[in-house]
Amino acid sequence: MQWKGYTLNPFQVEAATAIEAGRNVLLAAPTGAGKTLVAEYAIERAVQSGRRAIYTSPIKALSNQKFRDFKQEGMRVGLMTGDLTLDPDAPIVIMTTEIFRNAVFEDPARFHDTDFVIFDEVHFVDDLERGTVWEESLIFAPPHVRFVGLSATIANLQEFGGWIRSVRPQELAIIEHTKRPVPLAHRLFHPDAGVFQLAQRPKAIAFHERAAARDQRHGGRAGRRERERSRWGDKRERSQGRRIPVGPRPYVLLLDEIQHRQLLPVLYFCFSRKECEIKAERSMGRRLLDRAERQRMQQTFDEICARFELDPEQDPGLRGILGRALQGVGFHHAGMLPIHKEVVERLFTSSLLKLLFTTETFALGINMPARTVVFDLLRKFDGVQMDYMKSRDYLQMAGRAGRQGLDKSGLVLSILEDEDLREAPLSRYHSGKVEPITSRFNLSYSTILNLYDRLGSKGLLEAYDKSFAAFQAQKGTPATRAKKRGAARAALAARVQILRDAGYLGDDGLLPRGKLAQRINGYEIQATELLWSGVLDKMDMHQLAATFTALIHEERRRAEPRGHRREHGPLMLEATEAVRRFVAIEVLQGVEQPIKEPDWGIAAAVDSWSRGGSVDDLERFAHTDAGDVVRTLRMAIQMMRQVRSTVGKGEQLGARLEEAIVAINRDVVDAKRQFELG
């Protein structure tokens, strides 16, 4: 079967046939296998028949990339990511999954002419914080809408497909393709054993034990662990005081070997932003580019700066990016300014950046493969403790190794610490077996308000009964099933009771407070409590900007507490107390994780920015990465727009919110301008 100049492979033909037959499609295939072609086939069929298609993705960067891809093909395409809304009535609209779910509740009639919704990365159903959004979208989308779910490998694909069959009226084709177009070769590295294969693990352990014994003979084990740690250069391992020099760090030896064997470019994954920066700086002496490549790099950098109207003379961050890039080195993480990340990504796709140190977010969806992938550590902080990462996470990142049409195979190298030699689940990673996906269904207050308004309390119970959680709970004995169902219903009843006690729900439906919250998506309870308390009416535009960012901002966990706490002003305290009214009701109902209270940690930075401050001021006052503050500001703008449309532009508060939006939506914060220039 030929389509768009491609000869479709068997799994693509199977998917296309299912689309033609009017079915839903659930497709699991490795990165780079050609899943997107199936999505494009469904989209073209929808548009040719005079209907619309929606493409959803879990991250804004992926949405933006898809928008550009479709635009390049000459299609009329819209974009809705919260940061940006461009041509929302186009026949193809790219949006984040949250925006799709919200639209399903707010205005289901808008989908009357929608044929297909594409769910990219549908295994995000398993995401602890956001997975419920995918479930709600599948359950509550209008019945005529068909779905194409795209995913990496899913262990319980048949079970997941079985649940989709139970909630969607159309037949479902479940398609699994396991062969990677560019196979992966997995290797391990330990300083005592060098590079080795998994089968040689016992030999590597023996090498290490001999080295440890030798160490003991020469002055005992005194500080052996500390010396090992000092060689790694990881933030967890850098001790206070003088470091003991014991030769090159293991990662340096490994990169020397990779460079010598001409296995560049390399994506080097670290689980710490600071580590990315430190390792990039330490690699500056490698000089990975020849003179001609350096000239091309300079030219490419100048072109990118011209396109985005950037001035490196005024931006030390940009000058740093260029300095590293001219050596073939870079780093990329979520704490960088969005425009700086964009520059690094474009330099990497030019194939001139040979060594990129990055965090795991780089592996999500964005198509930027390399010859080799290196893991700095196999353990990462899971919010509670350091633990070995999931196979799915390992494979998502490892999948970036191997460039189609350029490499016969992709090389994946994991640097092992001493205990990893025995304890790391290496066979699980190398076998390609992933964990089954688990439902994270957890009706938010927003969803409860919307469902209660449409279907009453009976509809809420039916919503749970349709969930993937309920489907998975059918396993086990009748007593186990009844217990799980009872627990889920009790949790739902508790949330409904909280909304009743807080004055959002009444016997006859939504009360005025509930109707207000229903019109706001994300932090809807906090925003409603602030509106209802009247505290927002007392604020000027600078205070409004600081307050809405405080609702969103959460200080990143640190080893040491920050020492620059500021006193909160009277309006800050009043806003916090307004939100605590609801928190107190949750606590009485035994809720373990109440809604988030305002975090004023970046209030001084936002105040400075809204008064015309610079990016340097932003970072200086925030005591955190500028990229985090910009992301929070963009989300606050989105939220203020919602609240402004809820209270009305004509009202005094609406007018001040508009002023606050204009004051902070400039320069590096202005997502629309950055997007339109690029």
Side-chain angles (χ1 to χ4, degrees):
M1 183 174 172
Q2 292 282 323
W3 185 70
K4 274 193 175 180
Y6 296 100
T7 301
L8 300 189
N9 64 31
F11 84 83
Q12 291 167 329
V13 172
E14 189 181 346
T17 307
I19 288 164
E20 295 288 355
R23 296 177 182 174
N24 293 314
V25 172
L26 176 61
L27 168 61
T31 305
K35 294 190 291 282
T36 305
L37 216 58
V38 171
E40 289 174 9
Y41 189 87
I43 288 167
E44 187 178 276
R45 284 291 170 270
V47 174
Q48 280 180 348
S49 62
R51 295 173 68 74
R52 301 175 73 212
I54 290 166
Y55 195 110
T56 83
S57 84
I59 54 171
K60 290 172 186 174
L62 184 53
S63 298
N64 293 350
Q65 187 184 37
K66 290 297 177 195
F67 177 85
R68 291 194 182 100
D69 291 347
F70 288 135
K71 200 92 173 156
Q72 273 180 345
E73 292 184 26
M75 301 176 180
R76 184 187 161 202
V77 56
L79 180 69
M80 296 174 74
T81 61
D83 286 350
L84 289 166
T85 299
L86 303 170
D87 199 2
D89 298 319
I92 308 160
V93 181
I94 317 288
M95 58 177 73
T96 52
T97 316
E98 275 84 355
I99 286 180
F100 174 72
R101 188 275 312 267
N102 296 342
V104 162
F105 285 136
E106 286 166 21
D107 185 15
R110 72 181 288 183
F111 299 111
H112 73 278
D113 59 349
T114 299
D115 190 359
F116 276 106
V117 174
I118 316 297
F119 275 157
D120 206 350
E121 312 281 359
V122 74
H123 56 270
F124 255 75
V125 159
D126 194 63
D127 186 78
L128 202 56
E129 289 180 10
R130 300 170 60 205
T132 188
V133 172
W134 274 257
E135 285 194 52
E136 290 169 26
S137 299
L138 282 159
I139 295 167
F140 298 113
H144 69 271
V145 173
R146 288 190 285 162
F147 286 92
V148 173
L150 307 177
S151 174
T153 309
I154 295 178
N156 52 337
L157 187 68
Q158 293 298 327
E159 180 189 37
F160 184 52
W163 170 69
I164 293 174
R165 284 189 177 119
S166 74
V167 293
R168 301 306 303 169
Q170 300 88 355
E171 286 184 35
L172 173 73
I174 301 174
I175 303 166
E176 188 167 22
H177 178 73
T178 54
K179 192 178 178 187
R180 279 182 55 89
V182 183
L184 295 180
H186 300 268
R187 297 290 183 271
L188 305 158
F189 175 79
H190 185 277
D192 294 336
V195 175
F196 61 98
Q197 295 187 36
L198 182 58
Q200 297 166 307
R201 190 181 198 171
K203 194 183 284 185
I205 292 170
F207 278 133
H208 166 59
E209 285 172 347
R210 277 205 293 277
R214 202 163 49 242
D215 229 56
Q216 213 162 18
R217 283 198 301 277
H218 298 288
R221 295 283 294 208
R224 155 86 180 170
R225 193 72 209 143
E226 286 66 35
R227 293 209 299 283
E228 279 295 318
R229 291 285 190 204
S230 74
R231 289 161 70 177
W232 288 80
D234 183 279
K235 68 169 182 181
R236 292 179 300 109
E237 297 145 352
R238 283 194 292 277
S239 55
Q240 299 289 316
R242 189 171 62 83
R243 294 176 55 138
I244 308 160
V246 280
R249 295 174 178 84
Y251 83 91
V252 174
L253 298 172
L254 180 59
L255 289 176
D256 289 345
E257 181 81 359
I258 288 169
Q259 190 177 340
H260 175 67
R261 293 181 181 271
Q262 298 182 325
L263 296 170
L264 303 167
V266 173
L267 272 179
Y268 189 114
F269 285 107
C270 304
F271 295 126
S272 147
R273 298 173 180 184
K274 188 55 71 182
E275 213 51 46
C276 289
E277 296 179 13
I278 289 168
K279 285 187 164 62
E281 290 302 326
R282 284 183 182 156
S283 301
M284 287 284 281
R286 288 192 175 274
R287 296 183 66 87
L288 303 173
L289 306 184
D290 60 30
R291 183 179 292 178
E293 286 173 324
R294 283 166 68 88
Q295 285 176 340
R296 289 212 323 272
M297 178 66 87
Q298 180 72 59
Q299 188 183 342
T300 305
F301 179 82
D302 291 343
E303 286 167 3
I304 295 167
C305 288
R307 166 171 273 200
F308 286 104
E309 298 176 6
L310 303 173
D311 182 2
E313 292 300 313
Q314 302 297 316
D315 187 337
L318 270 180
R319 293 200 298 277
I321 288 170
L322 176 62
R324 289 183 291 275
L326 289 173
Q327 307 300 325
V329 176
F331 66 76
H332 182 286
H333 60 67
M336 296 168 70
L337 287 171
I339 190 64
H340 289 175
K341 285 198 293 183
E342 183 94 37
V343 171
V344 173
E345 286 163 17
R346 292 190 181 219
L347 291 176
F348 190 74
T349 51
S350 73
S351 300
L352 289 167
L353 216 52
K354 304 297 185 187
L355 177 55
L356 184 64
F357 296 92
T358 182
T359 51
E360 62 192 305
T361 47
F362 197 82
L364 267 179
I366 304 170
N367 185 27
M368 295 190 187
R371 170 71 184 85
T372 301
V373 159
V374 175
F375 286 94
D376 190 50
L377 286 170
L378 291 176
R379 287 174 297 151
K380 64 175 185 174
F381 188 63
D382 62 7
V384 181
Q385 60 185 4
M386 289 293 290
D387 203 358
Y388 287 108
M389 72 177 106
K390 287 182 173 179
S391 297
R392 189 184 308 128
D393 295 339
Y394 173 88
L395 289 168
Q396 181 99 42
M397 289 177 263
R400 295 290 158 223
R403 299 159 299 171
Q404 223 166 334
L406 290 172
D407 305 318
K408 287 182 180 173
S409 68
L411 177 61
V412 184
L413 284 155
S414 301
I415 298 176
L416 303 183
E417 292 192 285
D418 294 355
E419 56 265 40
D420 298 337
L421 280 168
R422 291 188 178 83
E423 295 168 16
L426 301 174
S427 53
R428 194 177 70 199
Y429 294 152
H430 290 199
S431 69
K433 287 179 183 166
V434 295
E435 302 79 9
I437 56 173
T438 307
S439 172
R440 306 296 181 182
F441 192 70
N442 176 25
L443 290 177
S444 64
Y445 289 122
S446 170
T447 305
I448 290 171
L449 290 168
N450 277 295
L451 289 176
Y452 196 90
D453 191 31
R454 282 167 50 197
L455 307 167
S457 57
K458 188 164 171 263
L460 288 174
L461 296 174
E462 286 174 3
Y464 167 73
D465 288 340
K466 286 182 177 176
S467 71
F468 187 37
F471 190 85
Q472 290 190 306
Q474 288 170 9
K475 296 174 188 167
T477 64
T480 307
R481 294 202 298 270
K483 189 178 176 184
K484 285 179 179 174
R485 191 166 192 246
R489 289 193 163 207
L492 187 54
R495 290 173 94 83
V496 171
Q497 190 58 50
I498 289 163
L499 289 168
R500 282 177 172 276
D501 294 346
Y504 286 71
L505 293 180
D507 293 337
D508 299 324
L510 268 57
L511 297 173
R513 218 178 196 124
K515 286 179 177 169
L516 185 62
Q518 192 184 19
R519 298 203 293 274
I520 302 166
N521 293 306
Y523 305 97
E524 62 283 338
I525 300 296
Q526 291 93 328
T528 301
E529 292 296 311
L530 292 178
L531 279 164
W532 213 258
S533 72
V535 66
L536 298 180
D537 295 311
K538 304 173 190 175
M539 294 182 174
D540 63 25
M541 66 177 189
H542 308 297
Q543 291 164 328
L544 285 169
T547 299
F548 278 91
T549 49
L551 293 186
I552 294 157
H553 172 67
E554 272 187 275
E555 187 169 327
R556 295 182 73 230
R557 297 187 183 201
R558 299 163 186 266
E560 297 158 21
R562 296 196 318 199
H564 51 268
R565 295 282 175 212
R566 292 173 47 130
E567 287 298 311
H568 293 162
L571 289 179
M572 286 179 173
L573 293 171
E574 196 178 329
T576 300
E577 284 307 312
V579 174
R580 281 180 180 163
R581 183 194 85 89
F582 193 93
V583 171
I585 295 166
E586 288 186 299
V587 171
L588 281 173
Q589 280 288 344
V591 172
E592 287 183 17
Q593 289 185 307
I595 61 166
K596 179 189 168 300
E597 293 181 20
D599 180 336
W600 303 97
I602 58 170
V606 174
D607 184 74
S608 161
W609 182 256
S610 70
R611 295 176 193 276
S614 67
V615 175
D616 288 345
D617 295 334
L618 198 63
E619 200 151 17
R620 188 160 51 87
F621 285 122
H623 303 277
T624 188
D625 291 332
D628 292 329
V629 187
V630 168
R631 194 163 51 252
T632 303
L633 284 166
R634 287 180 174 183
M635 289 172 71
I637 289 164
Q638 183 183 339
M639 201 173 163
M640 285 193 284
R641 282 177 179 148
Q642 285 188 48
V643 174
R644 183 198 61 196
S645 66
T646 301
V647 300
K649 288 183 187 178
E651 298 295 317
Q652 276 193 334
L653 176 57
R656 281 202 307 283
L657 283 166
E658 181 60 32
E659 288 172 355
I661 291 166
V662 170
I664 62 175
N665 193 26
R666 61 180 177 84
D667 301 342
V668 294
V669 177
D670 188 348
K672 191 168 186 178
R673 182 172 175 274
Q674 178 183 330
F675 191 83
E676 287 172 342
L677 287 171

